Amino acid sequence: MTDATLATAAVAASDTIRTIGILHFTIGVRDHIAAAKFYSEVLGCKHMRSNERYSFMECGGSYFVLAKIPHHVNPNNPGEDAHHHAFLVEPQEFDRALAIMKARGIELVKYSEEGHTTFPGRHAYFHDADGNGIEIIDLHKK
């Protein structure tokens, strides 16, 4: 970046950048190819492409990237759900999603349907093979 680029607008340290959305988020995994298979075959996400380090995924018009990180550390301990990525499902798909996870031997970490004031609905939490939290939510619109 050049000084000319920085000089294009008068700003103050208290100014806020006006972002317009989120392009993608990145999930660290040990094996991005295996993770892409999991997220596409289990969660129905579209695997767009992979290279030597990343798998690019799409889910309902939103994007995420699976990044191969050989020194990846599980962000959650067993049974924890604090660090997670939430995937929306239709109300009629929620119970089916729980049954699919159970049939695949993926342990339910937590289930709740009360106490969610910002994102009301039914919530179910699981872990992927790398310990990343996955939330399935049937979001009740206010």
Side-chain angles (χ1 to χ4, degrees), residues 94-95 98 108-113 116 122-125:
F94 188 85
D95 292 330
L98 292 178
L108 176 66
V109 172
K110 179 181 170 186
Y111 172 86
S112 65
E113 57 184 70
H116 297 274
R122 297 182 292 168
H123 302 251
Y125 300 84

Side-chain angles (χ1 to χ4, degrees), residues 61-118:
S62 297
Y63 303 93
F64 64 100
V65 178
L66 300 166
K68 180 179 181 177
I69 302 175
H71 57 277
H72 174 74
V73 176
N74 293 355
N76 292 299
N77 288 324
E80 288 183 345
D81 64 289
H83 184 272
H84 64 273
H85 307 285
F87 292 84
L88 294 167
V89 297
E90 294 291 340
Q92 65 274 15
E93 181 68 6
F94 188 85
D95 292 330
R96 184 174 174 273
L98 292 178
I100 288 170
M101 293 297 216
K102 183 176 182 178
R104 289 179 173 265
I106 300 169
E107 179 184 351
L108 176 66
V109 172
K110 179 181 170 186
Y111 172 86
S112 65
E113 57 184 70
E114 296 177 6
H116 297 274
T117 55
T118 304

Side-chain angles (χ1 to χ4, degrees), residues 15-32:
D15 287 353
T16 302
I17 298 170
R18 293 182 287 266
T19 57
I20 59 171
I22 297 171
L23 175 61
H24 71 82
F25 58 88
T26 302
I27 301 173
V29 295
R30 288 182 290 267
D31 181 342
H32 65 299

